[in-house]
Amino acid sequence: MNIMSEFSSCTTILVGKYASLDGSTLVARNEDGHDEPEPQQFVVVQPENQPKVYYTFKGNVEIPLPPNPLRYTATPNAILEHGIFGASGINSANVAMSATETITSNPRVLGADPYVEASLGEADLLTIVLPYIKTPREGVLRMGQLLEQYGTFEPNGMVFSNADEIWYMETYGGHHWAAIRIPDDCYVVAPNRLNIDVFDFDNPDVLYCKDLPDFIERNHLNPDFDELNLRHTLGSSDYKDVQYNNPRAWYVQKYFSDTTRSYHEKYPFVDDPDCPDLPFICYPKQKISIEDIKWALSSHYEGTPYDPYGNGSEADRKKYRAIGLNRNMEVHVLQMRPNVPADIVGIQWVGMASNPYNCMVPFYTAISDTPASYRDTPIKYDPNYMYWLIQTMAVIGDRNYTFFGTQHYDFEKKMSATLRHMQQQYDKEFIQKNLSGMDAVEFLTKANQEMADALFAAAKALLGDFVCTGSHKMTLRFNLAD
């Protein structure tokens, strides 16, 4: 049996500093929702605007917050009916957090440690953790303490990083948790399942709630004879994983992994999209770039019979859940860079709406405000804001992907280069001027605005191209002129 929250659609990719192209740590995730559009915002929260007491979305549980919060960025929902869902951000201590990857559990775990109805959930976590941590390890420990004290009503995976390390953390049942430091020369792809596999309580690069070993033993949860595999022990393995989760890990690993090497020899890469035991930690066959990650998180099984836009049978084209799809609300890559001034270490790449039709902007995070086209996304449709503009292109483009997809490919390739060049020029000017304090904040805030404006203008022009060229492809046409 598979137990999943209603918010259960994300895909996470993590890249250690020695596995990335430029030595950055990279934390990426699609934030996905439902078929109905769910508009997203990109904001910065100043310390004076952070609440002193937080009330959880579910159950209105009162949580006192520590004093002196840090400034942080976030990508919350525009519609607050289901909570804030801060989702991703970088704070002024250059610690990043992505929360959350909805994962799975099983009845044995929940029988021993049931969910807590009035408690913490995905909507709450970034807001009550990210402003109060100065290292990734602190993030794991604060999150763990809150889980043990207040409990949770759903299973989640989350990530904490800085320029030196990445920690991936999962929750089990109502109060239990574990985390593992991702090796610097490895990468991870994590769909909506419990992802951590082989786990050693004596490993110095793991953290876990104090009673987790006893909890597993006392409740007879481990099905394996000779090891502890948390995915086997605390997660699920059923038809939903086969259709919804495993194929996403398979597709990314198929392109990224050095299949001759395995972090755990018992679980090598297997060229089978249904395989439940694809490895959690993987060695890449070459260094991974931001563009590689964006391609993976926009992918829909291109080059296989399972591509919904491809030439496979109708059954194959509908067989597996793709990574890039209509339910993408936003995609982020939290890039923590080495060997640059502190104010430009953290870059939050953000793309809005459906990934096969968007383009990411490398936003600086030591800022006073965010561009209005990202910050003020309204609840109702308005193509003057980036989320709605991209979603419009996605709806039009989906009608004829072969035709419109080529136009978008050229657009994204050109704009990615343009934005890369703009960022490199900002970096050079920032370093040359030796900016600091409010001068640095004003410069970086202005740089973000200019990059957002450049992309918005180009995206608006592309939408115009979609409409003008698409007019020639309409069914309701007649070739004999009046």
Side-chain angles (χ1 to χ4, degrees), residues 111-242:
D113 182 16
Y115 292 137
V116 181
E117 187 65 21
S119 62
L120 303 176
E122 178 177 353
D124 310 309
L125 302 185
L126 186 120
T127 305
I128 62 176
V129 175
L130 183 57
Y132 308 103
I133 59 175
K134 294 184 177 179
T135 69
R137 186 183 179 95
E138 282 184 20
V140 172
L141 295 175
R142 172 165 173 78
M143 188 72 260
Q145 180 269 318
L146 290 168
L147 287 166
E148 292 173 39
Q149 181 176 355
Y150 296 100
T152 183
F153 60 85
E154 59 184 358
N156 282 307
M158 62 208 82
V159 189
F160 302 91
S161 69
N162 61 14
D164 188 55
E165 60 182 2
I166 301 172
W167 283 80
Y168 176 79
M169 178 181 189
E170 292 181 330
T171 71
Y172 312 123
H175 303 85
H176 291 80
W177 59 272
I180 186 167
R181 185 185 186 280
I182 305 305
D184 296 332
D185 58 347
C186 292
Y187 85 95
V188 161
V189 54
N192 299 118
R193 66 182 183 192
L194 198 153
N195 287 288
I196 299 176
D197 48 21
V198 177
F199 196 81
D200 180 359
F201 288 120
D202 295 323
N203 185 339
D205 287 332
V206 303
L207 295 168
Y208 51 90
C209 57
K210 185 177 180 180
D211 70 330
L212 186 60
D214 180 66
F215 173 74
I216 291 171
E217 182 175 359
R218 184 176 70 253
N219 292 289
H220 312 289
L221 299 176
N222 184 3
D224 293 321
F225 290 108
D226 57 354
E227 66 179 6
L228 174 63
N229 181 312
L230 294 187
R231 192 185 305 163
H232 295 171
T233 301
L234 305 173
S236 62
S237 181
D238 61 21
Y239 76 96
K240 287 186 177 180
D241 289 308
V242 168

Side-chain angles (χ1 to χ4, degrees), residues 12 26 57 76 93 143 152 155 191 242 255 273 282 299 309 357 373 379 444 475:
T12 294
L26 303 174
F57 164 69
M143 188 72 260
T152 183
V242 168
Y255 283 92
C282 304
S299 65
Y309 291 136
Y357 296 92
S373 60
I379 294 172
L444 298 175
T475 301

Side-chain angles (χ1 to χ4, degrees), residues 291 359-360 411-421:
E291 288 78 9
C359 182
M360 295 193 301
F411 157 80
E412 185 173 13
K413 187 176 179 180
K414 177 181 177 180
M415 286 311 302
S416 295
T418 297
L419 294 167
R420 279 268 192 191
H421 180 70

Side-chain angles (χ1 to χ4, degrees), residues 34 42 56 85 88 95 190 267 282 311 367 396 414 453 468:
H34 305 93
F42 172 54
T56 63
F85 286 92
S88 67
V95 177
Y267 302 100
C282 304
N311 297 317
I367 52 175
I396 294 173
K414 177 181 177 180
D453 288 347
C468 292

Side-chain angles (χ1 to χ4, degrees), residues 332-409:
H332 54 265
V333 180
L334 307 177
Q335 179 187 19
M336 309 305 291
R337 304 190 293 176
N339 307 317
V340 295
D343 283 330
I344 59 173
V345 165
I347 303 294
Q348 185 161 354
W349 296 73
V350 177
M352 290 293 189
S354 181
N355 285 354
Y357 296 92
N358 67 19
C359 182
M360 295 193 301
V361 179
F363 287 121
Y364 296 98
T365 54
I367 52 175
S368 61
D369 204 353
T370 55
S373 60
Y374 286 78
R375 180 193 66 220
D376 299 333
T377 309
I379 294 172
K380 294 187 177 180
Y381 177 80
D382 186 340
N384 291 304
Y385 294 86
M386 187 61 78
Y387 173 89
W388 288 114
L389 179 60
I390 298 300
Q391 195 66 12
T392 303
M393 285 198 289
V395 171
I396 294 173
D398 185 69
R399 297 302 86 197
N400 189 335
Y401 181 76
T402 301
F403 181 69
F404 292 113
T406 299
Q407 290 178 274
H408 178 269
Y409 173 81

Side-chain angles (χ1 to χ4, degrees), residues 15 18 20 38 88 103 141 195 217 240 271 278 336 363 424 435 473:
V15 182
Y18 299 146
S20 74
E38 297 185 65
S88 67
I103 59 172
L141 295 175
N195 287 288
E217 182 175 359
K240 287 186 177 180
D271 196 4
L278 287 171
M336 309 305 291
F363 287 121
Q424 289 171 7
L435 296 173
K473 299 288 184 179

